[in-house]
Amino acid sequence: MAAISQTSNLSSSLRSCGRRNHTRTLLDSSLSFPHSLSLLNLNLNQKLNPHPGKQPSLVYGAPRASTDVVDYDRILEKEEIGEEKGRALRVGIICGGPSAERGISLNSARSVLDHIQGDDLHVSCYYIDCNLNAFAISSAQLYSNTPADFDFKLESLAHSFQTLSDFAEHLATAVDIVFPVIHGQFGEDGGIQELLEQYNVPFVGTGSSECIQAFDKYKASSLLRKHGFTTVPSFLVQGYETNKLELSEWFQRHQLDPNQGKVVVKPTRGGSSIGVGVAYGVTDSLSKAKEIMSEGIDDKVLIEIFLEEGSEFTAIVLDVGSGSDSHPVVLLPTEVELQFRGATDVKEKDAIFNYRRKYLPTQQVAYHTPPRFSLEVIENIRKGASLLFQHLCLRDFARIDGWFLPSSCCKLSSSESEFGRTESGTIVFTDINLISGMEQTSFLFQQASKVGFSHTNILRSIIHHACMRFPNLASISGISGHVPSRSKSSQLNKSLPHCKGAQKVFVIFGGDTSERQVSLMSGTNVWLNLQAFNDLEVIPCLLSPASEYGSGVDMVKEVDNVKNRTVWSLPYSLVLRHTTEEVLDACIEANEPDRAALTSYLRQRVMNDLMEGLKDHSWFTGFDIADELPTRFSLGQWIKLAKEAQATVFIAVHGGIGEDGTLQSLLDAEAVPYTGPGSIASKICMDKVATSLALEHLANSGVLTINKDVRGKQELLNKPTDEIWHELTSKLKCETLCVKPAKDGCSTGVARLCCSKDLAVYLKAVQDGILRIPDNSLSKAHGMIEMPNPPPELLIFEPFIETDEIVVTSKNKDETGRSLMWKGHSRWVEITVGVIGKCGSMHSLSPSVTVKESGDILSLEEKFQGGTGVNLTPPPLSIMSEEALSKCKQHIELIANTLQLEGFSRIDAFVNVDSGEVLIIEVNTVPGMTPSTVLIHQALAEQPPLYPHQFFRKLLDLGSERSM
């Protein structure tokens, strides 16, 4: 009964929780996997697919019951409805595509969706797969954590179009304008643009013929030379029979050693990251080129000289002109600094800004906006990128990459008349990106926020500018700039008096555990989503690492040390980084007087340039990001400020003091409300042994615990490994072990050990304090294992629980799609499930079964950063019955209430698919809250569904209402 009443409470409270849920339009009732597949039969043949015969099919098992019903006649006649309401603008987001960057495309589309919706703008979502098949998808499907996860659910949750022509015909009547968010092939090479042009569908961005020229690096380089720009010497490889002698002559002509000369090898039409690498000498260059071609990335490859000692930069260009008059303004460029911390391999030091460094958290890259160049160089970069935008006839926006080569190291031959020559060096433009990445922390948002644009403001400005090319759209009265009613200030000591009516929210993230980068992603996502609510003042805050904080025995000093830890109140633009180290460096850099003065000056220059064009556009209502510096506090001061402001603290610090009860205890002492469980529950759940002890009395109620053996680090290091292995396997009665730190996050330091040699490797890693164990260092295949820092003093050993492997397989050659294979011998599967509610009445969300594509234990990357894995939410009927699922959720709620959880948490467990019995693994009181986390999938499976901004608002409200 508790579960039923809690569900009812959730449903009723959410009706008033979000102001944007009614703007979700297309296919929104097929929100989760595998909700209501019957809706796909409602008028789809007539409305979306004029060619019957290709119907979606359920490949994984029978769907669960659902009451969702969608009236597609109403949805697909939105045009008439829009006219009745004053013509709300209908935007179609198209993502996916055949390139290897489609995972980034999904992330970009999700980000665009999150930030452009409003009462005056309705969004429909579409997807192009690797084979150029088009689908109408639910907006919820964009929250899939990986391309594999997305593709697996595609057949059951999307509707396919018979041909691209059918797709274009649909767009011509269903949307007002298309926002293509396809990176690489078909998105930036003119493919999607040509299709839209053929059917007179308005779209954002550059036209097809111009895309063809700009996307091909060889053609673009030729055009740049023609217009007087300095370019990088290159050699074009076409086909496998390239003349090796010609390439050797090219090496010699440019004074490169034919055996070891460094060059960059890149596909001519492969985007800015995929397939780009460094080669050494003629033979290696041709080998890398053929590898690109054999992998199907491109059939033409460029070999360019490696720009030694140069600094890479990237610049966003925004067109603010009217009609056909182009007025490109270059925002503040970003310098890309590659950092090599202790790298000894010379080839690693020659590395480039590749796909991994661009899109995943790494300390090998730091960004500086504006660049640390002279004012003359920065202004010339802006001038050059603006001219290039005009010469190539680009539209709306673009990202242009290049290099600055100091005079002392530049070996490029160029005439005095060529653009890019300055007193201090040479500017070279190398890549034109027609559809810049639009993930939450992308260059577009980093640079836009530096000159006064929020995510919403810059994206809507781009869309509105595109609409001006089409008279029937430019006159739509319903659209507006949608600029928030108040400036998004983030300085705590200045913002508080200005917004007395708004509830203050301090979102804290960071710390110094191995999960700190995930924490940054979580905190950034929460902060951005909560900004959807005008009654909130949301302030992002970084908990800095604390090298002075140790495990001292004096508890009074320990508490004082914690209170003295540093918290930074962050300006909008400084949050948008990939690592906590980068955020911290940016805070310190921003407070340097000379740096602050230069940034302020350039910001004003850019804003003046922007306003020269924007002042003529009625839809633009102003900039909405204030120019601020980060502010530093001690943790103690920060908590007192939260109390003074009557703020609620949203905790997004994974591991360490954010999850072990320390931060919660400090907030309790000052009666400051916060999200998640209280200090006692947090402390118990952080200690995996304490968690088991707290639950062991529930064995007769269907909640089981795993036997554990806890060993100290010194004991383990002082005894022979074979002896320890024999003791552990004998005591735990198992052949393989799972090892994990006694007190750390959900993935850190967790490994499967199959023999004493594996144990030796793991203990050596603990002894040496290494940050990560490389892939496949143990006897059974695995991914990279992130290790705790500092090394754990206590380790837990438990039997490795064998579950039946669930495999995603392709169907026979004459069929399409994928299906699940599961033998079901052991009858146990691994699940993760969120719980939400008040203490004593926690509600279980729908559990997720994760299908791993490699290894036995999900890595941090797999769980939170869009790595691998397919999440089935809820478990399909072919695996788990309705009755077993209901019992499972009851057991999960029993666990949550026994541990006195509140707010929200995530419980990892094994479940018996017949009985619903649960074997507890661990409880995470500050679970991942990244854009693709499984908790988002589970929230979307609720009735009614909770979109991310609604979900985080619900968690915030639960925190604000907690009894102190």
Side-chain angles (χ1 to χ4, degrees):
M1 290 301 294
I4 295 173
S5 62
Q6 184 64 29
T7 304
S8 176
N9 291 338
L10 276 173
S11 301
S12 60
S13 63
L14 286 170
R15 291 191 185 99
S16 59
C17 175
R19 58 184 174 83
R20 300 189 303 179
N21 59 324
H22 63 285
T23 68
R24 313 276 176 172
T25 55
L26 185 61
L27 298 179
D28 261 10
S29 289
S30 58
L31 288 174
S32 66
F33 182 82
H35 265 251
S36 189
L37 276 302
S38 60
L39 58 87
L40 288 169
N41 295 320
L42 292 174
N43 298 319
L44 279 177
N45 254 359
Q46 297 85 351
K47 292 295 179 183
L48 288 177
N49 191 352
H51 302 283
K54 189 175 182 182
Q55 290 296 316
S57 60
L58 186 62
V59 297
Y60 50 84
R64 296 192 181 278
S66 172
T67 58
D68 291 347
V69 176
V70 173
D71 184 348
Y72 280 95
D73 290 304
R74 180 181 59 81
I75 286 178
L76 295 177
E77 289 163 6
K78 292 181 296 182
E79 187 173 301
E80 296 175 10
I81 296 174
E83 289 173 354
E84 292 171 5
K85 291 185 176 180
R87 293 295 282 117
L89 186 70
R90 301 166 305 162
V91 178
I93 296 175
I94 305 179
C95 61
S99 86
E101 291 185 89
R102 68 196 183 92
I104 303 304
S105 172
L106 295 177
N107 294 344
S108 292
R110 180 197 306 133
S111 181
V112 172
L113 174 71
D114 279 344
H115 296 294
I116 68 172
Q117 296 224 64
D119 296 341
D120 59 341
L121 194 153
H122 295 173
V123 180
S124 300
C125 300
Y126 302 92
Y127 174 72
I128 305 290
D129 72 7
C130 294
N131 299 314
L132 297 185
N133 297 309
F135 299 84
I137 62 172
S138 72
S139 53
Q141 194 169 350
L142 287 179
Y143 297 95
S144 300
N145 65 323
T146 68
D149 187 35
F150 184 97
D151 289 346
F152 180 74
K153 301 168 185 175
L154 190 63
E155 280 190 80
S156 57
L157 293 185
H159 174 76
S160 63
F161 295 92
Q162 190 77 2
T163 67
L164 286 177
S165 296
D166 296 336
F167 174 48
E169 287 176 357
H170 163 74
L171 292 174
T173 58
V175 303
D176 292 312
I177 191 166
V178 164
F179 198 144
V181 192
I182 299 176
H183 304 310
Q185 294 172 22
F186 199 68
E188 295 179 87
D189 63 2
I192 187 66
Q193 291 81 4
E194 185 175 9
L195 176 69
L196 297 172
E197 286 166 353
Q198 286 175 357
Y199 288 85
N200 297 313
V201 179
F203 62 89
V204 173
T206 299
S208 62
S209 58
E210 292 79 13
C211 282
I212 292 170
Q213 293 291 322
F215 184 68
D216 187 307
K217 295 178 176 64
Y218 186 72
K219 291 179 180 179
S221 182
S222 299
L223 280 172
L224 287 176
R225 281 195 299 274
K226 177 182 175 182
H227 289 293
F229 288 86
T230 304
T231 58
V232 182
S234 61
F235 183 91
L236 181 63
V237 177
Q238 296 187 80
Y240 292 92
E241 303 303 321
T242 297
N243 191 317
K244 190 173 183 179
L245 179 59
E246 288 183 11
L247 182 58
S248 297
E249 292 173 352
W250 181 84
F251 264 71
Q252 292 173 353
R253 188 160 61 250
H254 294 287
Q255 301 177 342
L256 295 171
D257 184 338
N259 297 315
Q260 290 296 324
K262 286 182 294 187
V263 293
V264 175
V265 183
K266 60 173 72 170
T268 63
R269 297 166 297 185
S272 61
S273 304
I274 299 297
V276 183
V278 177
Y280 300 85
V282 174
T283 302
D284 189 32
S285 299
L286 286 177
S287 175
K288 295 275 175 56
K290 290 176 181 177
E291 188 176 318
I292 290 172
M293 290 185 283
S294 65
E295 290 178 0
I297 297 175
D298 201 350
D299 58 3
K300 294 195 300 182
V301 178
L302 272 188
I303 297 174
E304 296 179 343
I305 67 170
F306 189 96
L307 299 177
E308 293 277 9
E309 300 178 33
S311 297
E312 192 169 0
F313 66 82
T314 185
I316 298 294
V317 189
L318 187 68
D319 190 358
V320 294
S322 300
S324 58
D325 295 330
S326 176
H327 181 178
V329 175
V330 180
L331 307 185
L332 289 184
T334 298
E335 175 192 355
V336 179
E337 179 192 11
L338 293 185
Q339 300 177 326
F340 304 99
R341 303 170 187 265
T344 56
D345 185 346
V346 66
K347 292 187 178 181
E348 173 62 19
K349 291 184 178 179
D350 291 336
I352 57 177
F353 188 44
N354 58 15
Y355 181 88
R356 170 165 282 273
R357 290 186 174 92
K358 186 174 292 186
Y359 295 116
L360 292 177
T362 170
Q363 292 186 57
Q364 293 182 328
V365 181
Y367 303 121
H368 306 276
T369 307
R372 299 167 301 172
F373 306 153
S374 69
L375 184 59
E376 177 199 22
V377 171
I378 294 172
E379 291 290 23
N380 271 280
I381 288 173
R382 295 189 63 233
K383 179 182 177 182
S386 176
L387 288 172
L388 193 156
F389 190 94
Q390 288 177 307
H391 288 322
L392 296 180
C393 299
L394 308 185
R395 296 194 312 219
D396 298 331
F397 78 119
R399 196 186 86 230
I400 298 175
D401 303 337
W403 289 77
F404 171 65
L405 307 169
S407 300
S408 58
C409 71
C410 182
K411 297 180 181 178
L412 297 182
S413 59
S414 60
S415 66
E416 292 295 330
S417 62
E418 285 184 333
F419 182 87
R421 297 290 297 271
T422 71
E423 288 186 6
S424 52
T426 302
I427 297 164
V428 185
F429 295 105
T430 56
D431 289 284
I432 296 98
N433 300 273
L434 287 313
I435 300 178
S436 174
M438 286 171 273
E439 294 185 293
Q440 287 183 341
T441 57
S442 68
F443 291 124
L444 172 66
F445 301 126
Q446 287 184 27
Q447 295 181 23
S449 63
K450 278 286 187 181
V451 295
F453 287 105
S454 66
H455 287 62
T456 294
N457 203 359
I458 187 66
L459 288 172
R460 283 180 160 240
S461 294
I462 290 169
I463 293 170
H464 294 331
H465 183 270
C467 286
M468 294 174 62
R469 286 195 299 277
F470 310 96
N472 60 318
L473 297 182
S475 62
I476 292 178
S477 60
I479 54 176
S480 66
H482 193 66
V483 178
S485 57
R486 60 179 185 277
S487 172
K488 292 181 181 296
S489 176
S490 56
Q491 280 193 304
L492 295 181
N493 53 354
K494 292 182 180 180
S495 67
L496 298 180
H498 297 305
C499 306
K500 293 180 180 179
Q503 179 187 348
K504 310 301 184 297
V505 182
F506 295 179
V507 180
I508 187 167
F509 46 83
D512 48 14
T513 74
S514 57
E515 293 182 272
R516 63 191 179 279
Q517 315 307 1
V518 178
S519 172
L520 174 60
M521 294 170 69
S522 291
T524 301
N525 191 42
V526 170
W527 163 63
L528 287 172
N529 271 283
L530 288 180
Q531 289 189 91
F533 301 95
N534 281 328
D535 63 329
L536 299 179
E537 183 76 15
V538 190
I539 301 164
C541 305
L542 175 75
L543 175 66
S544 293
S547 56
E548 77 277 5
Y549 176 58
S551 55
V553 294
D554 189 331
M555 287 301 295
V556 174
K557 289 184 178 179
E558 188 173 305
V559 170
D560 288 341
N561 282 339
V562 175
K563 285 185 177 180
N564 288 327
R565 291 189 61 168
T566 298
V567 176
W568 288 90
S569 164
L570 301 174
Y572 194 111
S573 63
L574 289 198
V575 187
L576 308 179
R577 297 294 190 273
H578 288 102
T579 67
T580 55
E581 291 79 9
E582 194 189 332
V583 176
L584 182 58
D585 289 345
C587 287
I588 295 169
E589 183 181 85
N591 279 282
E592 295 174 0
D594 291 345
R595 181 70 176 168
L598 175 65
T599 301
S600 179
Y601 170 77
L602 287 170
R603 169 190 165 96
Q604 196 58 54
R605 285 285 298 268
V606 174
M607 292 176 74
N608 290 341
D609 291 345
L610 288 166
M611 281 308 298
E612 222 178 287
L614 291 172
K615 68 180 184 339
D616 298 327
H617 304 320
S618 60
W619 48 261
F620 185 72
T621 57
F623 300 102
D624 58 331
I625 299 298
D627 183 15
E628 299 171 339
L629 294 175
T631 308
R632 181 174 181 165
F633 303 92
S634 71
L635 180 58
Q637 292 171 330
W638 181 82
I639 291 173
K640 287 186 181 300
L641 192 60
K643 180 177 182 178
E644 176 188 334
Q646 298 182 325
T648 299
V649 173
F650 201 119
I651 300 176
V653 179
H654 302 313
I657 69 167
E659 205 163 352
D660 67 4
T662 302
L663 180 56
Q664 291 81 356
S665 181
L666 292 174
L667 292 168
D668 284 338
E670 295 292 339
V672 175
Y674 54 88
T675 57
S679 58
I680 296 174
S682 297
K683 184 176 182 179
I684 290 173
C685 293
M686 188 63 158
D687 186 329
K688 299 175 180 67
V689 175
T691 305
S692 288
L693 290 173
L695 298 173
E696 62 182 3
H697 68 286
L698 299 177
N700 293 331
S701 301
V703 175
L704 310 176
T705 56
I706 303 173
N707 292 329
K708 292 176 172 58
D709 191 308
V710 184
R711 302 280 178 117
K713 179 175 72 173
Q714 291 306 316
E715 173 196 353
L716 292 166
L717 296 177
N718 292 333
K719 291 179 71 173
T721 307
D722 288 341
E723 181 181 335
I724 298 170
W725 181 261
H726 177 72
E727 288 178 2
L728 290 171
T729 52
S730 298
K731 179 178 179 180
L732 297 173
K733 297 181 175 60
C734 61
E735 295 182 359
T736 61
L737 299 170
C738 182
V739 62
K740 58 184 73 172
K743 300 179 180 180
D744 217 300
C746 57
S747 296
T748 308
V750 182
R752 180 181 183 178
L753 308 178
C754 297
C755 59
S756 61
K757 290 183 180 179
D758 288 350
L759 176 60
V761 170
Y762 188 91
L763 293 179
K764 175 68 172 164
V766 171
Q767 182 178 27
D768 295 344
I770 68 170
L771 297 179
R772 57 193 61 87
I773 298 176
D775 299 10
N776 302 323
S777 298
L778 306 176
S779 58
K780 198 169 189 319
H782 64 87
M784 183 181 293
I785 301 171
E786 297 277 352
M787 296 297 288
N789 182 28
E793 293 299 320
L794 291 174
L795 290 171
I796 294 174
F797 295 91
E798 55 191 33
F800 184 85
I801 306 299
E802 294 277 2
T803 58
D804 289 323
E805 191 174 23
I806 304 174
V807 181
V808 177
T809 64
S810 297
K811 288 188 173 182
N812 297 328
K813 293 181 180 178
D814 59 341
E815 297 181 79
T816 59
R818 306 203 219 180
S819 60
L820 287 178
M821 286 184 59
W822 180 61
K823 295 178 180 177
H825 293 317
S826 76
R827 312 307 293 165
W828 288 85
V829 297
E830 187 173 348
I831 60 168
T832 185
V833 54
V835 289
I836 181 172
K838 296 184 177 181
C839 188
S841 58
M842 296 295 282
H843 163 67
S844 171
L845 301 177
S846 294
S848 299
V849 176
T850 299
V851 180
K852 299 181 286 289
E853 294 188 325
S854 63
D856 292 294
I857 294 167
L858 288 178
S859 66
L860 284 174
E861 192 172 285
E862 287 173 321
K863 281 192 174 181
F864 303 115
Q865 297 167 12
T868 61
V870 174
N871 288 311
L872 311 180
T873 310
L877 280 169
S878 59
I879 292 178
M880 195 172 186
S881 69
E882 289 281 5
E883 183 181 1
L885 177 63
S886 176
K887 289 181 178 178
C888 168
K889 293 174 74 171
Q890 291 173 18
H891 293 143
I892 291 295
E893 289 168 355
L894 177 61
I895 292 169
N897 292 325
T898 300
L899 293 173
Q900 293 190 302
L901 302 182
E902 60 183 305
F904 73 116
S905 295
R906 196 189 79 235
I907 297 174
D908 298 336
F910 300 101
V911 62
N912 185 291
V913 297
D914 299 317
S915 67
E917 284 183 303
V918 169
L919 178 60
I920 189 74
I921 299 174
E922 61 187 3
V923 179
N924 299 284
T925 54
V926 185
M929 291 165 278
T930 62
S932 60
T933 179
V934 73
L935 287 186
I936 297 296
H937 309 177
Q938 294 176 9
L940 287 166
E942 289 292 286
Q943 294 301 319
L946 290 81
Y947 277 87
H949 68 287
Q950 298 168 314
F951 179 57
F952 293 127
R953 180 60 189 260
K954 179 62 182 175
L955 303 184
L956 173 68
D957 290 344
L958 285 168
S960 301
E961 296 164 3
R962 70 187 302 135
S963 55
M964 300 304 300

